[in-house]
Amino acid sequence: MNPIPINLAVEDPLSEVVLRRLLANSSQDFAVGEVYMRNGFGYLRKNIAGWNAADKGRPFLLLTDLDASECPASLLQTWLSVPKNDNLLFRVAVRAVESWLLADAEGIATFLAVKLATVPANPESLPDPKRV
């Protein structure tokens, strides 16, 4: 079976690594094409309309952080004023992709060589998981 071509749009290198890892562990086989990244959500927000209107044959997987926004649905509504194309896969990390990593307390403690007790118990509730 041929791999599914997909482009990525991310805030930073960490988000790219996380998406690549998720795709590699998927039951589907993906072939990552272009990766669009310019350090932060501003670039993603500015370009989302173009990616939404892009070639319908190659999906775009966009990952951004929720940060201080109310919820993923309102974030998408704020960023995109037209209906979302089915090939625009819009994903939001609550509060930030760092929260996802901190959620694996044992894994992150081992990776960072810190005591498990120093890893926060509820990373999604942290106001600034990047700083933690």
Side-chain angles (χ1 to χ4, degrees):
M1 189 170 182
N2 291 333
I4 300 167
I6 192 163
N7 292 322
L8 305 180
V10 295
E11 290 188 11
D12 52 37
L14 178 61
S15 296
E16 178 186 353
V17 169
V18 167
L19 280 186
R20 285 183 181 274
R21 185 64 177 252
L22 288 171
L23 291 173
N25 288 300
S26 170
S27 61
Q28 299 290 324
D29 187 19
F30 290 94
V32 174
E34 298 294 323
V35 177
Y36 300 89
M37 170 181 26
R38 296 284 188 276
N39 296 323
F41 74 89
Y43 172 75
L44 300 177
R45 184 174 183 177
K46 183 174 111 179
N47 289 286
I48 192 171
W51 295 324
N52 190 53
D55 179 8
K56 308 297 187 237
R58 180 177 292 252
F60 273 83
L61 175 53
L62 186 150
L63 176 62
T64 191
D65 293 337
L66 184 61
D67 292 327
S69 296
E70 181 182 329
C71 70
S74 66
L75 182 67
L76 176 60
Q77 190 173 41
T78 301
W79 283 23
L80 195 60
S81 60
V82 298
K84 188 185 76 57
N85 176 339
D86 288 340
N87 274 345
L88 177 64
L89 308 171
F90 186 84
R91 299 297 180 260
V92 180
V94 177
R95 287 272 144 223
V97 76
E98 290 82 1
S99 299
W100 290 0
L101 300 177
L102 290 168
D104 176 10
E106 289 181 21
I108 199 71
T110 300
F111 179 76
L112 296 174
V114 298
K115 293 180 182 178
L116 183 59
T118 64
V119 179
N122 189 3
E124 289 183 352
S125 68
L126 297 170
D128 189 1
K130 214 172 281 237
R131 191 184 74 183
V132 171

PDB file of all heavy atoms in Angstrom, residues 16 31 65 70 77 111:
ATOM      1  N   GLU A  16       7.062  19.658  15.459  1.00  0.00           N
ATOM      2  CA  GLU A  16       7.341  18.825  14.289  1.00  0.00           C
ATOM      3  C   GLU A  16       7.743  17.410  14.720  1.00  0.00           C
ATOM      4  O   GLU A  16       7.247  16.414  14.170  1.00  0.00           O
ATOM      5  CB  GLU A  16       8.444  19.426  13.422  1.00  0.00           C
ATOM      6  CG  GLU A  16       8.781  18.548  12.238  1.00  0.00           C
ATOM      7  CD  GLU A  16       9.967  19.017  11.416  1.00  0.00           C
ATOM      8  OE1 GLU A  16      10.492  20.127  11.671  1.00  0.00           O
ATOM      9  OE2 GLU A  16      10.376  18.275  10.498  1.00  0.00           O
ATOM     10  N   ALA A  31       3.697   9.727   4.337  1.00  0.00           N
ATOM     11  CA  ALA A  31       4.921  10.271   3.751  1.00  0.00           C
ATOM     12  C   ALA A  31       4.866  11.785   3.938  1.00  0.00           C
ATOM     13  O   ALA A  31       4.091  12.471   3.267  1.00  0.00           O
ATOM     14  CB  ALA A  31       5.026   9.909   2.276  1.00  0.00           C
ATOM     15  N   ASP A  65      -0.657  25.381  19.636  1.00  0.00           N
ATOM     16  CA  ASP A  65      -0.953  25.327  21.066  1.00  0.00           C
ATOM     17  C   ASP A  65      -2.220  26.117  21.370  1.00  0.00           C
ATOM     18  O   ASP A  65      -2.468  27.154  20.744  1.00  0.00           O
ATOM     19  CB  ASP A  65       0.197  25.923  21.881  1.00  0.00           C
ATOM     20  CG  ASP A  65       1.472  25.104  21.801  1.00  0.00           C
ATOM     21  OD1 ASP A  65       1.397  23.899  21.509  1.00  0.00           O
ATOM     22  OD2 ASP A  65       2.554  25.672  22.034  1.00  0.00           O
ATOM     23  N   GLU A  70      -9.789  30.086  24.609  1.00  0.00           N
ATOM     24  CA  GLU A  70     -10.853  29.436  25.378  1.00  0.00           C
ATOM     25  C   GLU A  70     -10.950  27.938  25.087  1.00  0.00           C
ATOM     26  O   GLU A  70     -10.995  27.124  26.000  1.00  0.00           O
ATOM     27  CB  GLU A  70     -12.184  30.118  25.052  1.00  0.00           C
ATOM     28  CG  GLU A  70     -13.365  29.565  25.789  1.00  0.00           C
ATOM     29  CD  GLU A  70     -14.659  30.241  25.382  1.00  0.00           C
ATOM     30  OE1 GLU A  70     -14.625  31.433  25.034  1.00  0.00           O
ATOM     31  OE2 GLU A  70     -15.692  29.571  25.408  1.00  0.00           O
ATOM     32  N   GLN A  77     -12.327  28.929  14.754  1.00  0.00           N
ATOM     33  CA  GLN A  77     -13.282  29.919  14.252  1.00  0.00           C
ATOM     34  C   GLN A  77     -12.631  31.296  14.118  1.00  0.00           C
ATOM     35  O   GLN A  77     -12.891  32.030  13.168  1.00  0.00           O
ATOM     36  CB  GLN A  77     -14.490  29.980  15.178  1.00  0.00           C
ATOM     37  CG  GLN A  77     -15.641  30.781  14.634  1.00  0.00           C
ATOM     38  CD  GLN A  77     -16.854  30.654  15.533  1.00  0.00           C
ATOM     39  OE1 GLN A  77     -16.743  30.672  16.764  1.00  0.00           O
ATOM     40  NE2 GLN A  77     -18.014  30.523  14.926  1.00  0.00           N
ATOM     41  N   PHE A 111      13.835  10.925  30.520  1.00  0.00           N
ATOM     42  CA  PHE A 111      14.498  11.667  29.442  1.00  0.00           C
ATOM     43  C   PHE A 111      15.285  12.860  29.984  1.00  0.00           C
ATOM     44  O   PHE A 111      16.403  13.123  29.555  1.00  0.00           O
ATOM     45  CB  PHE A 111      13.467  12.130  28.410  1.00  0.00           C
ATOM     46  CG  PHE A 111      14.055  12.925  27.285  1.00  0.00           C
ATOM     47  CD1 PHE A 111      14.767  12.304  26.269  1.00  0.00           C
ATOM     48  CD2 PHE A 111      13.908  14.302  27.229  1.00  0.00           C
ATOM     49  CE1 PHE A 111      15.321  13.032  25.234  1.00  0.00           C
ATOM     50  CE2 PHE A 111      14.451  15.043  26.202  1.00  0.00           C
ATOM     51  CZ  PHE A 111      15.157  14.401  25.193  1.00  0.00           C
TER      52      PHE A 111
END
